[in-house]
C-alpha cells in the first residue's frame, strides 16, 4: 500500500521536511523538482509505503505533522509570528532565558505551554543568531563563581541587552545590591525582575 504527499516551499523548508521525515525510519521515497526560475522554491513528493494499513495511516499523520511544524516555522501567521518547537531549536539555550531575551529586546512573542511552542515575531535565522549569541555569553559564565540558574540567566541577559562586559555587569550587580557574595559564590539578593531591569539598563 502507498500514500503520496506533495508539498511546496522554499529550499530551506523542503530540505528540513525531508530530513525530519527521514529520521522517522519509515519506508518512503522522495522526489523533488525546482519550481521557480531562481531555484528558491521547490516541490517535493513523499511516497510512503507499508503493508499494514494502520501503520501507513499513522506514518502519514506523522509526516503531515512535520510539514505543519516546518511550514509554521518559515511562514508567519496572521499576527506576523513564526512558530518554533523548543525541542527543535538548534542551539541549546534554556527556555526562560530565550523568552527574557525576546521580552527585553522588545520582540513580540507568545509561549504556548501545552504545546511547548514559541511564537515570535522573528525569523528562524534571526532566532538562531540570537540563540548563538546567548550561548556564547553563557559559556563565559564558567569563569565566574555564579550561583543559581536565575542569577546566571540575569547576568547573561544583562550582558546581551546592555552590551556591557560581564565583569562590569557583575560589579554593577554587587554595587546595586542585586547580588551578594556568599561562600565565595555570587547569589541573588533582590527580586529577580528588579535585577533584570537594573542589569539590562547597565549601559545607560
Amino acid at each position: 500500500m502507498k500514500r503520496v504527499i506533495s508539498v511546496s516551499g522554499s529550499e530551506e523548508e523542503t530540505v528540513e521536511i525531508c530530513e525530519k521525515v527521514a529520521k522517522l525510519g519509515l519506508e518512503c521515497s522522495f522526489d523533488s523538482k525546482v519550481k521557480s526560475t531562481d531555484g528558491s522554491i521547490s516541490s517535493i513528493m513523499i511516497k510512503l509505503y507499508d503493508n499494514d494499513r494502520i501503520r501507513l495511516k499513522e506514518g502519514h499523520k506523522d509526516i503531515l505533522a512535520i510539514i505543519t511544524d516546518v511550514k509554521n516555522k518559515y511562514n508567519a501567521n496572521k499576527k506576523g509570528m513564526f512558530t518554533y518547537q523548543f525541542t527543535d531549536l538548534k542551539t541549546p539555550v534554556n527556555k526562560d532565558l530565550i523568552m527574557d531575551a525576546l521580552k527585553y529586546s522588545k520582540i513580540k512573542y507568545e509561549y504556548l505551554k501545552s504545546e511547548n511552542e514559541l511564537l515570535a515575531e522573528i525569523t528562524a535565522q534571526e532566532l538562531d543568531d540570537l540563540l548563538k549569541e546567548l550561548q556564547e555569553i553563557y559559556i563565559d559564565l564558567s569563569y565566574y563563581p555564579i550561583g543559581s540558574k536565575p542569577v546566571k540567566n540575569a547576568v547573561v541577559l544583562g550582558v546581551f541587552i546592555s552590551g556591557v562586559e560581564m565583569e562590569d555587569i557583575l560589579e554593577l550587580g554587587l554595587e546595586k545590591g542585586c547580588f551578594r557574595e556568599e561562600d565565595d559564590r555570587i547569589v541573588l539578593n533582590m527580586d529577580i525582575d528588579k535585577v533584570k531591569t537594573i542589569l539590562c539598563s547597565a549601559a545607560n
Side-chain angles (χ1 to χ4, degrees):
M1 291 180 283
K2 178 178 73 173
R3 288 200 179 186
V4 178
I5 304 165
S6 297
V7 59
S8 297
S10 67
E11 183 179 2
E12 286 178 314
E13 287 176 80
T14 53
V15 167
E16 186 165 332
I17 288 168
C18 289
E19 289 176 345
K20 289 181 180 296
V21 171
K23 289 179 181 178
L24 293 176
L26 302 170
E27 184 181 348
C28 55
S29 63
F30 304 91
D31 293 317
S32 64
K33 63 180 179 179
V34 176
K35 292 188 70 176
S36 59
T37 54
D38 61 359
S40 60
I41 303 297
S42 301
S43 175
I44 56 173
M45 183 178 291
I46 304 169
K47 296 178 182 177
L48 176 64
Y49 306 90
D50 204 307
N51 292 326
D52 186 295
R53 187 178 299 278
I54 294 176
R55 282 202 309 262
L56 184 69
K57 183 179 178 180
E58 287 300 314
H60 184 261
K61 182 180 176 182
D62 291 341
I63 291 172
L64 291 180
I66 285 175
I67 292 170
T68 298
D69 287 344
V70 174
K71 282 289 184 182
N72 289 341
K73 176 179 175 181
Y74 289 99
N75 299 276
N77 63 19
K78 292 179 180 179
K79 295 181 180 179
M81 302 176 80
F82 300 86
T83 305
Y84 304 98
Q85 307 290 325
F86 274 105
T87 54
D88 200 32
L89 297 178
K90 296 178 182 178
T91 306
V93 176
N94 70 74
K95 190 184 303 179
D96 294 332
L97 180 55
I98 294 172
M99 290 191 286
D100 275 341
L102 293 171
K103 175 184 175 181
Y104 284 87
S105 296
K106 297 181 179 176
I107 296 171
K108 183 180 176 184
Y109 79 95
E110 293 176 26
Y111 171 49
L112 304 181
K113 187 175 182 179
S114 58
E115 289 86 6
N116 197 32
E117 289 180 344
L118 174 71
L119 276 68
E121 209 170 39
I122 183 173
T123 66
Q125 184 58 59
E126 290 169 336
L127 179 60
D128 192 46
D129 290 342
L130 182 149
L131 296 183
K132 285 177 180 176
E133 189 172 347
L134 289 175
Q135 186 187 48
E136 287 175 6
I137 299 170
Y138 212 100
I139 289 171
D140 290 340
L141 286 176
S142 60
Y143 297 100
Y144 299 90
I146 299 173
S148 65
K149 180 174 155 183
V151 175
K152 292 178 180 178
N153 281 357
V155 172
V156 172
L157 182 66
V159 173
F160 176 74
I161 297 296
S162 70
V164 173
E165 294 294 326
M166 187 171 294
E167 286 186 7
D168 296 328
I169 285 287
L170 290 171
E171 185 177 339
L172 174 69
L174 290 167
E175 285 178 358
K176 297 287 187 179
C178 300
F179 310 131
R180 69 178 188 277
E181 294 183 88
E182 184 178 282
D183 298 328
D184 297 323
R185 293 172 69 81
I186 297 171
V187 299
L188 193 63
N189 193 51
M190 188 186 291
D191 176 76
I192 191 64
D193 289 326
K194 290 182 180 178
V195 171
K196 293 172 187 176
T197 300
I198 291 170
L199 299 187
C200 287
S201 59
N204 298 333

